């Protein structure tokens, strides 16, 4: 059978199925109630969704949404639209429907809807490169994940671990990733991910870079993280270099390069780029071949923050004071004007504009 003939058969089958679905909707309108009509419309939307006619499916889903009462049922329909939006990676469509779901959840929703919403929100934050929020949301879903129609549990762990490593602090990584029973139960089945995670946490930087090469290939091929592969590579290198340098006041370029299993020239170029961008706090003495840490004092940073916020508050108070002074001046001016206008003339009290008290 030729390809054209196969396609023609498929089109005929689709037309026949759509005809049956339309007849079912008409029958529901004539013989049944609103719930049966909505269910028939939903069935038609899901058929178009299955056939990957996403525009038509979304329009019919919205018809069903308008017929629906109850926040949970409405969220179920929006989740179907979110599946479409995630597949086509329409960021505006994802954002709008997540916001709708959040408002509906406030009206009433169970943990399953909350968990599912967190997964979609996590995907959205991966797509917009907000890995810190994505990590927090996805880590929260690990223990209660049931959304296998979105992606597998293994994929959830993959995203949760990688976003955590790039965005969370070391203490959070230990608590939520390294020592998480749920993640430990799955991470071994994801190639190189356990080695990648453990080697970074245990400061085995040469092993980390070796596993990193393999992880990068997985990230490049991933449907959600692929477009952020270069950013992920850069940020993970910064995380590793920063973690290494925090242990030293000064260290030789040769020693650091040996720890990472890379050349001195490559390390020198890398660090120079990140130092110039303000991402790593250190300086390189090229003549002596030494890297000197230049970490800012936390107490000084806190003092500067307090001073800055204090200045902002004083400026606001001064502006408020000036506004109040102006209002008082206007009030006094108007009061004085009224007194001058209504007071009797000292020469002729009979000319007063106000009636005499006598």
């Amino acid at each position: 059978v030729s390809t054209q003939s196969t396609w023609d058969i498929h089109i005929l089958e689709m037309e026949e199925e759509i005809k049956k679905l339309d007849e079912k909707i008409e029958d529901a309108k004539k013989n049944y109630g609103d719930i049966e009509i909505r269910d028939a419309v939903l069935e038609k939307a899901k058929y178009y969704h299955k056939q990957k006619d996403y525009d038509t499916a979304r329009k019919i889903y919205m018809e069903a949404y308008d017929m629906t009462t109850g926040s949970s049922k409405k969220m179920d329909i929006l989740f179907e639209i979110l599946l479409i939006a995630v597949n086509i990676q329409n960021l505006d469509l994802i954002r709008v429907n997540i916001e709708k779901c959040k408002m509906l959840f406030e009206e009433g929703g169970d943990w399953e809807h909350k968990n599912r919403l967190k997964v979609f929100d996590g995907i959205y934050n991966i797509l917009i490169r907000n890995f810190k929020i994505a990590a927090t949301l996805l880590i929260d879903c690990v223990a209660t994940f049931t959304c296998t129609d979105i992606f597998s549990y293994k994929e959830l762990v993959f995203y949760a671990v990688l976003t955590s490593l790039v965005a969370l602090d070391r203490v959070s990584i230990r608590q939520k990733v390294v020592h998480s029973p749920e993640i430990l139960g799955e991470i071994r089945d994801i190639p190189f991910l356990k080695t990648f995670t453990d080697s970074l946490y245990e400061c085995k930087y040469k092993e980390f870079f070796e596993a990193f090469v393999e992880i990068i290939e997985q990230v490049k091929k991933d449907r959600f993280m692929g477009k952020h592969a270069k950013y992920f590579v850069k940020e993970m290198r910064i995380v590793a270099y920063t973690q290494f340098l925090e242990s030293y006041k000064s260290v030789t370029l040769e020693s650091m390069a040996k720890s990472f299993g890379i050349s001195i020239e490559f390390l020198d170029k890398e660090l120079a780029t990140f130092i110039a961008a303000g991402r790593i706090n250190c300086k390189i003495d090229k003549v002596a071949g030494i890297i000197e840490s230049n970490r800012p004092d936390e107490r000084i940073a806190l003092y500067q923050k307090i001073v800055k916020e204090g200045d902002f508050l004083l400026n606001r108070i001064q502006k408020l004071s000036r506004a109040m002074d102006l209002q008082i001046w206007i009030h006094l001016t108007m009061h004085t004007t009224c007194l001058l206008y209504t007071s009797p003339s000292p020469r002729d009290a009979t000319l007063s504009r106000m009636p005499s008290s006598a």
Side-chain angles (χ1 to χ4, degrees):
V1 182
S2 67
T3 305
Q4 184 62 42
S5 298
T6 305
W7 178 250
D8 290 340
I9 292 169
H10 177 67
I11 293 296
L12 287 171
E13 289 175 347
M14 279 186 64
E15 289 175 351
E16 185 65 27
E17 185 63 29
I18 291 166
K19 184 179 178 182
K20 289 179 182 178
L21 291 168
D22 286 336
E23 288 173 355
K24 192 172 182 179
I25 292 169
E26 289 302 316
D27 181 57
K29 287 179 179 178
K30 290 177 182 177
N31 303 308
Y32 300 100
D34 293 341
I35 294 174
E36 288 78 12
I37 296 169
R38 184 206 61 198
D39 290 344
V41 172
L42 266 177
E43 190 177 347
K44 184 179 178 181
K46 287 178 180 179
Y47 179 76
Y48 276 106
H49 189 168
K50 185 179 177 181
Q51 298 301 320
K52 297 185 178 180
D53 186 346
Y54 294 136
D55 286 339
T56 305
R58 184 165 61 86
K59 290 174 184 176
I60 300 173
Y61 275 132
M62 287 310 300
E63 288 177 21
Y65 179 86
D66 292 336
M67 299 176 187
T68 304
T69 57
S71 57
S72 294
K73 291 289 185 183
K74 284 188 172 184
M75 285 179 74
D76 288 336
I77 295 172
L78 292 178
F79 287 150
E80 296 294 337
I81 295 173
L82 278 167
L83 277 174
I84 292 173
V86 165
N87 280 329
I88 63 177
Q89 295 196 11
N90 185 326
L91 296 180
D92 288 336
L93 189 60
I94 298 172
R95 178 182 53 79
V96 167
N97 284 284
I98 285 175
E99 291 302 321
K100 284 183 181 178
C101 285
K102 286 179 178 177
M103 288 189 287
L104 287 169
F105 184 78
E106 292 298 321
E107 295 174 14
D110 54 28
W111 70 268
E112 188 175 353
H113 285 87
K114 184 178 182 180
N115 192 62
R116 193 171 176 81
L117 180 56
K118 281 184 178 181
V119 173
F120 279 118
D121 207 358
I123 292 171
Y124 174 70
N125 280 282
I126 289 175
L127 291 172
I128 63 171
R129 203 187 284 175
N130 195 336
F131 288 163
K132 189 169 185 178
I133 293 177
T136 303
L137 290 166
L138 295 176
I139 286 288
D140 285 347
C141 297
V142 168
T144 55
F145 181 75
T146 57
C147 312
T148 51
D149 56 331
I150 304 173
F151 47 54
S152 67
Y153 187 66
K154 187 181 290 186
E155 287 177 294
L156 171 69
V157 171
F158 179 75
Y159 297 132
V161 171
L162 292 188
T163 52
S164 297
L165 291 177
V166 80
L168 301 185
D169 59 77
R170 187 174 170 81
V171 174
S172 298
I173 290 170
R174 183 182 70 242
Q175 294 173 347
K176 298 178 180 180
V177 177
V178 176
H179 293 161
S180 167
E182 293 83 10
I183 288 178
L184 286 172
E186 194 69 31
I187 196 171
R188 294 179 180 87
D189 297 329
I190 304 172
F192 303 101
L193 188 59
K194 182 165 173 47
T195 304
F196 182 67
T197 305
D198 291 348
S199 58
L200 178 64
Y201 182 73
E202 295 169 6
C203 305
K204 297 176 181 177
Y205 298 107
K206 189 173 182 180
E207 290 181 25
F208 168 75
F209 261 36
E210 289 170 355
F212 195 12
V213 174
E214 303 297 335
I215 291 293
I216 290 167
E217 292 305 311
Q218 295 181 49
V219 170
K220 285 179 180 176
K221 295 173 185 176
D222 186 78
R223 55 176 172 158
F224 300 133
M225 294 191 68
K227 63 176 68 176
H228 306 306
K230 289 183 179 179
Y231 173 82
F232 176 78
V233 170
K234 180 191 72 174
E235 292 299 314
M236 282 308 309
R237 292 205 306 260
I238 290 172
V239 168
Y241 293 148
T242 302
Q243 181 175 287
F244 178 89
L245 291 169
E246 281 178 349
S247 303
Y248 300 93
K249 183 67 178 174
S250 64
V251 64
T252 64
L253 274 166
E254 183 181 1
S255 175
M256 185 172 177
K258 187 177 179 181
S259 296
F260 281 89
I262 55 180
S263 68
I264 295 173
E265 292 76 16
F266 178 81
L267 178 62
D268 181 36
K269 185 178 178 180
E270 282 262 281
L271 289 178
T273 302
F274 295 140
I275 292 168
R279 300 301 308 279
I280 294 180
N281 295 307
C282 68
K283 57 184 180 179
I284 301 173
D285 185 342
K286 192 67 180 289
V287 176
I290 293 174
I291 307 165
E292 295 181 3
S293 293
N294 187 26
R295 296 190 299 274
D297 190 309
E298 290 184 4
R299 289 175 297 177
I300 294 174
L302 181 60
Y303 171 76
Q304 290 173 341
K305 182 182 178 182
I306 291 170
V307 169
K308 185 177 179 180
E309 290 177 352
D311 287 342
F312 176 74
L313 180 60
L314 284 172
N315 287 334
R316 293 291 300 273
I317 291 170
Q318 287 173 354
K319 287 179 181 178
L320 180 61
S321 177
R322 286 197 293 269
M324 289 178 68
D325 288 345
L326 180 61
Q327 287 181 350
I328 292 169
W329 181 82
I330 291 170
H331 177 74
L332 290 173
T333 302
M334 292 179 66
H335 182 67
T336 304
T337 303
C338 288
L339 287 174
L340 289 171
Y341 181 76
T342 58
S343 296
S345 169
R347 294 180 180 178
D348 189 359
T350 61
L351 296 177
S352 171
R353 294 173 177 82
M354 298 290 289
S356 173
S357 57

